[in-house]
Amino acid sequence: MMKKLFILQIFAFAFFLTANAQSFTLQGRVSDEKNNPIELATVYCAAQGKVTMTSLKGEFSLQLHSADSVVVRFSMIGYKTKSRVLRRPKGKQMLQIVLYDDNVTLKDVQVQGQKIQSGQTQELKTKDMKMAPTASGNAVESMVQSQAGVSTHSELSSQYNVRGGSFNENSVYINNIEVYRPFLVRSGQQEGLSIINPDMVEKIGFSTGGFEARYGDKMSSALDITYKRPQKFEASLQASLLGASAYVAIANKKFSWLNGIRYKTTRYLLGSLDEKGEYKPNFLDYQTYLNYRPNKRWEIDFIGNISDNHYNFYPTNRTTTFGTMENVKNFTVYFDGQEKDLFRTYFGSFGLTYKFSDKTSIKLLASAFYTKEQEKYDIQGQYWLTQTETSENLGVGTYFEHARNYLDANVESIKMMFNHKAKHHDIEGAATLKRERIKENSVEYEMRDSAGYSVPHTGKDLNMIYSLKANNRLNANRIEAYLQDTWRFATGNDSIQTLYTLNYGVRMSHWNFNSETIVSPRLSLGIIPAFNENITFRLATGLYYQAPFYKELRDTSTVNGITVATLNNKIKSQRSIHFIFGYDYRFKMMDRPFRFTTEAYYKILQNLVPYSINNVKVVYYGDNVCDGHAAGIDFKLYGEFVPGTDSWITLSLMDTKMNLNGRSLPLPTDQRWAANLFFTDYFPGTTRWKMSLKLAYADGLPFSAPHRELQRNSFRAPAYKRADIGMSYRLINNEDHHSLIALKNLWLGVDCLNLFGISNVNSYYWITDVTNQQYAVPNYLTGRQINARVLLEF
């Protein structure tokens, strides 16, 4: 009997060991608090030495041995680590894990993770805008201008060129609505505040090429802005010598209402220009964003914007010295007259979303844009151009400039969107109907008198050196539609996988003004190879159109010295075929995260409408008469050069050409090379003191004498060189403490704009004497200026 009992005990113990040695499969999904999948999160069981990573859909699968208790941990940089204890697990176990943001602060330095870019749109961090030095006051565009492949040659302007494209080739979206700029702006001095309010921005997506079909018919870039939807009260107040802003958000879990008002004046900054006088620029902007979610099915959005921009200028005199050390020239002008400009815009959008489920939704969007623009000036100048070494008069004369330019524009649209998320697919589509109405009445002329003779001098006639008339009306309808799918899949086994993100789609548009229909297929592929999860290869191609709008339509003809601008209804869309190869490498150095990115591109340009650029004014020549190319390579190194702060350095190399009438000319935006640095640092031993440094060094753009841009671009402006530095001190920090004081942060800052006082050239004023000798007088940008700032956050 005792022997049988002993044998039974042995069998029971063996069964117990066998049961505990059984394996089981752990599967599930890791997401954030908004149910977005967290890709490449680590899932590991330390006791068994087993580890895996989540897929692009946040899913995972892991084979483990059963035991009384099995501890599994889930972690990702920027999120709090979570543990789960499984009691005697068997068979297949399913887990849904939610990771929350890690707001734990280490020595006042906030730890955040890096999002992996698998498509052609990179995400820019909004915190990098905070207290960064800027002359334009438009923080989002200032950050975009420092990215690889992007260039600008005026600190006064928020506009930018991308990979050889003009200012008009960049699309901008706010909450899925395409937004517009004023049409008549010709200089950075006139520019007010952009429609993007940086205080209200939650997410910034930016693509320099190969972007998805959801983004409109532009050839160069797409900027995608998403506004905040906070769940509690927040506010901020900022003031400086260049303006002020106030922001307040009232919110709970179902409702959020954001309000922002901004005021900008560049009077202090413009005082450093060569052209002296009384500057009275006043730019005012109010914006509101309302979001209401009554239940899990319905969502209502409203955006409203009113912008009132005035630029008044009463010039008195100008003195510009230019040339070389051995050949110095002096240009002196005494003015009489004034300029009064008005740019008043209204924008509104309404969105209604219905969610059939967490994965399927439709959205109806309606928007309206209206702009009223006036550009009026009557300025007379008496000038002397002298050779400084010999005091010889090279040119003496008088000029008179006159303009009465009026433009009213309305663009209304209605858009129906749908989105469906399947297991591996994200399908999106939309159809849009736009109505475009523009009314223009413009008269411009310039009289030039040199040494008592009217220029151009014929001996018989009295002609203006420049004269333009335009009286045009545009009333057109545009239909747009797109369909795209983002397919995420993997190859390999559960432990070693190659991850793919394939985006493919097509876009269609029809414009009744020129009866043109365009179809734009687009394709991109992102690959994270199994041999190294820190590497991403990206490939993209597509056919991109620049659908003509008002500026491209204006065709000019000159008869008896008078140029008349009319609308060309036979113009076709410009187009560009993109070929892009990208490489991303994520690594750690000194135990800090870094990301190196490079993209090589080649763009075949066809049906181009040639144009010229003067300051920020783009003048098209109204017909598709040339083709060309743009090719280059961009590099960017991004990371924590200093612990807890983000910095980056970029380098861009580019070559552009257009073929016109058998001649090969560089595009007006042919910037052969450019380098940018944005660097942040803390003072040793403290995080209260913060320094931000912006450096820009870019090749000059080609240019030629006025009205000869289509003949040759034989000159090139000097390189653009600029350094801006800002110092900030955090006087009050209640962000990480539960305090009864409503004030969360108080920052004091001082900026030195154009630190080295470099005289950068933005454009040229051309002097012609009676012998038809021309002199290019540089128009210099702003000099060194100090700006003081204060920021309060509640």
Side-chain angles (χ1 to χ4, degrees), residues 478-497:
R478 196 186 302 263
I479 299 173
E480 300 175 345
Y482 73 87
L483 180 65
Q484 69 173 45
D485 176 32
T486 302
W487 179 24
R488 295 179 175 89
F489 60 98
T491 59
N493 54 45
D494 292 336
S495 59
I496 301 178
Q497 291 185 332

Side-chain angles (χ1 to χ4, degrees), residues 714-786:
S714 55
F715 306 107
R716 190 172 286 270
Y720 181 83
K721 296 166 283 188
R722 186 174 175 90
D724 296 330
I725 189 170
M727 306 294 296
S728 304
Y729 177 67
R730 198 180 207 175
L731 184 62
I732 296 176
N733 178 14
N734 290 315
E735 192 168 2
D736 305 313
H737 303 87
H738 297 286
S739 174
L740 297 178
I741 303 175
L743 184 62
K744 183 170 65 174
N745 284 307
L746 173 57
W747 287 90
L748 303 177
V750 60
D751 302 334
C752 184
L753 305 174
N754 196 359
L755 177 64
F756 301 115
I758 298 171
S759 298
N760 288 304
V761 179
N762 185 44
S763 60
Y764 289 86
Y765 186 79
W766 290 82
I767 297 297
T768 306
D769 61 22
V770 292
T771 65
N772 209 31
Q773 177 72 35
Q774 290 188 313
Y775 301 90
V777 181
N779 295 318
Y780 292 120
L781 289 164
T782 58
R784 183 189 296 112
Q785 294 290 89
I786 301 296

Side-chain angles (χ1 to χ4, degrees), residues 418-602:
F418 78 91
N419 184 279
H420 175 69
K421 295 183 178 181
K423 184 176 182 181
H424 298 290
H425 295 267
D426 189 348
I427 303 170
E428 180 181 317
T432 306
L433 174 63
K434 290 183 179 179
R435 184 185 180 190
E436 303 159 347
R437 291 173 294 163
I438 298 179
K439 180 173 66 175
E440 178 200 20
N441 189 1
S442 298
V443 177
E444 298 179 10
Y445 64 79
E446 180 181 354
M447 182 275 293
R448 190 79 61 84
D449 182 306
S450 179
Y453 294 92
S454 178
V455 180
H457 178 60
T458 65
K460 296 180 181 180
D461 303 317
L462 182 62
N463 294 324
M464 300 292 177
I465 194 169
Y466 168 70
S467 178
L468 172 71
K469 291 184 178 181
N471 191 345
N472 295 308
R473 302 291 184 271
L474 174 68
N475 193 343
N477 297 318
R478 196 186 302 263
I479 299 173
E480 300 175 345
Y482 73 87
L483 180 65
Q484 69 173 45
D485 176 32
T486 302
W487 179 24
R488 295 179 175 89
F489 60 98
T491 59
N493 54 45
D494 292 336
S495 59
I496 301 178
Q497 291 185 332
T498 297
L499 306 178
Y500 300 89
T501 302
L502 177 65
N503 178 274
Y504 53 97
V506 63
R507 186 178 186 88
M508 183 278 292
S509 176
H510 176 79
W511 199 30
N512 71 344
F513 182 79
N514 62 355
S515 301
E516 182 187 30
T517 300
I518 55 178
V519 179
S520 172
R522 305 175 186 183
L523 176 71
S524 67
L525 176 65
I527 305 172
I528 300 178
F531 62 82
N532 193 334
E533 63 192 26
N534 294 316
I535 290 177
T536 303
F537 298 106
R538 289 181 285 107
L539 302 168
T541 186
L543 177 59
Y544 294 83
Y545 285 93
Q546 179 76 17
F549 199 38
Y550 193 71
K551 289 186 177 181
E552 293 95 329
L553 293 178
R554 296 173 88 243
D555 193 7
T556 57
S557 59
T558 303
V559 179
N560 296 325
I562 299 177
T563 302
V564 178
T566 57
L567 302 184
N568 178 11
N569 62 358
K570 298 187 182 301
I571 197 169
K572 299 301 180 183
S573 297
Q574 305 174 83
R575 65 186 182 192
S576 172
I577 304 175
H578 292 195
F579 299 96
I580 298 172
F581 172 74
Y583 169 82
D584 299 340
Y585 177 55
R586 298 166 294 277
F587 63 97
K588 282 195 173 185
M589 185 168 59
M590 297 174 290
D591 202 31
R592 298 196 292 271
F594 287 84
R595 182 177 71 247
F596 174 74
T597 299
T598 182
E599 276 195 358
Y601 61 90
Y602 187 85

Side-chain angles (χ1 to χ4, degrees), residues 135-136 142 145 151-161 167 187-189 191 615-616 701 720 722 760-763 781-782:
S136 70
S142 293
Q145 289 170 348
S151 64
T152 182
H153 285 78
S154 175
E155 63 274 5
L156 295 172
S157 174
S158 63
Q159 302 193 54
Y160 49 87
N161 307 112
F167 301 134
S187 69
Q189 291 93 312
E191 275 197 35
N615 204 312
V616 298
L701 299 181
Y720 181 83
R722 186 174 175 90
N760 288 304
V761 179
N762 185 44
S763 60
L781 289 164
T782 58

Side-chain angles (χ1 to χ4, degrees), residues 312-373:
N312 299 327
F313 178 42
Y314 305 88
T316 57
N317 63 85
R318 167 181 175 173
T319 300
T320 301
T321 301
F322 63 100
T324 63
M325 294 291 291
E326 296 80 17
N327 184 12
V328 181
K329 293 180 176 61
N330 183 273
F331 180 63
T332 304
V333 189
Y334 293 98
F335 295 105
D336 184 25
Q338 64 180 356
E339 176 178 355
K340 289 188 174 182
D341 303 330
L342 168 68
F343 303 94
R344 182 177 292 137
T345 61
Y346 302 89
F347 171 74
S349 72
F350 174 81
L352 182 64
T353 304
Y354 179 74
K355 298 179 180 179
F356 295 96
S357 66
D358 292 338
K359 297 181 179 181
T360 306
S361 66
I362 60 171
K363 186 168 189 174
L364 178 66
L365 284 166
S367 68
F369 170 81
Y370 170 73
T371 179
K372 179 182 180 65
E373 304 177 25

Side-chain angles (χ1 to χ4, degrees), residues 117-130:
Q117 178 185 342
S118 57
Q120 284 303 113
T121 301
Q122 59 176 314
E123 185 173 334
L124 308 181
K125 294 184 179 180
T126 56
K127 71 181 184 65
D128 293 334
M129 303 184 297
K130 189 175 180 179

Side-chain angles (χ1 to χ4, degrees), residues 2-233:
M2 292 295 293
K3 185 176 180 181
K4 289 183 179 180
L5 183 61
F6 178 75
I7 293 173
L8 288 174
Q9 288 176 338
I10 291 176
F11 274 113
F13 182 73
F15 177 80
F16 175 79
L17 290 178
T18 303
N20 279 274
Q22 288 179 348
S23 63
F24 70 98
T25 301
L26 179 63
Q27 294 179 343
R29 182 176 182 268
V30 180
S31 62
D32 60 18
E33 53 190 323
K34 295 182 179 180
N35 202 35
N36 298 315
I38 299 179
E39 56 196 42
L40 301 181
T42 303
V43 183
Y44 63 100
C45 177
Q48 300 184 24
K50 296 291 185 67
V51 63
T52 188
M53 303 189 78
T54 59
S55 68
L56 294 176
K57 301 293 287 183
E59 298 169 347
F60 66 91
S61 178
L62 191 63
Q63 293 287 332
L64 296 171
H65 295 296
S66 183
D68 283 341
S69 62
V70 178
V71 180
V72 182
R73 288 184 171 84
F74 305 85
S75 65
M76 179 64 184
I77 296 175
Y79 295 88
K80 293 180 179 179
T81 299
K82 181 171 285 189
S83 299
R84 282 288 181 268
V85 179
L86 307 178
R87 301 295 182 183
R88 297 177 183 173
K90 298 179 181 179
K92 181 183 292 186
Q93 300 285 321
M94 299 294 296
L95 287 179
Q96 296 291 328
I97 303 297
V98 178
L99 298 183
Y100 295 91
D101 288 339
D102 186 1
N103 294 319
V104 177
T105 301
L106 303 176
K107 297 183 180 180
D108 295 338
V109 178
Q110 196 169 29
V111 179
Q112 294 186 351
Q114 298 185 68
K115 183 176 180 179
I116 294 176
Q117 178 185 342
S118 57
Q120 284 303 113
T121 301
Q122 59 176 314
E123 185 173 334
L124 308 181
K125 294 184 179 180
T126 56
K127 71 181 184 65
D128 293 334
M129 303 184 297
K130 189 175 180 179
M131 297 299 287
T134 174
S136 70
N138 297 307
V140 173
E141 289 87 346
S142 293
M143 184 165 62
V144 169
Q145 289 170 348
S146 66
Q147 302 303 310
V150 184
S151 64
T152 182
H153 285 78
S154 175
E155 63 274 5
L156 295 172
S157 174
S158 63
Q159 302 193 54
Y160 49 87
N161 307 112
V162 177
R163 292 179 175 173
S166 74
F167 301 134
N168 302 319
E169 296 177 17
N170 308 309
S171 60
V172 180
Y173 287 80
I174 298 179
N175 287 14
N176 296 308
I177 297 290
E178 186 173 9
V179 296
Y180 299 87
R181 296 177 180 270
F183 294 88
L184 294 182
V185 172
R186 59 182 170 82
S187 69
Q189 291 93 312
Q190 296 173 316
E191 275 197 35
L193 293 156
S194 81
I195 193 173
I196 304 171
N197 188 326
D199 294 328
M200 300 170 66
V201 173
E202 179 180 51
K203 185 178 177 182
I204 305 172
F206 181 63
S207 174
T208 53
F211 39 89
E212 302 169 6
R214 69 192 303 259
Y215 299 118
D217 297 309
K218 302 286 187 178
M219 291 199 301
S220 291
S221 75
L223 178 61
D224 191 358
I225 302 297
T226 304
Y227 275 174
K228 296 177 182 177
R229 293 193 303 182
Q231 295 188 0
K232 61 181 180 179
F233 173 85

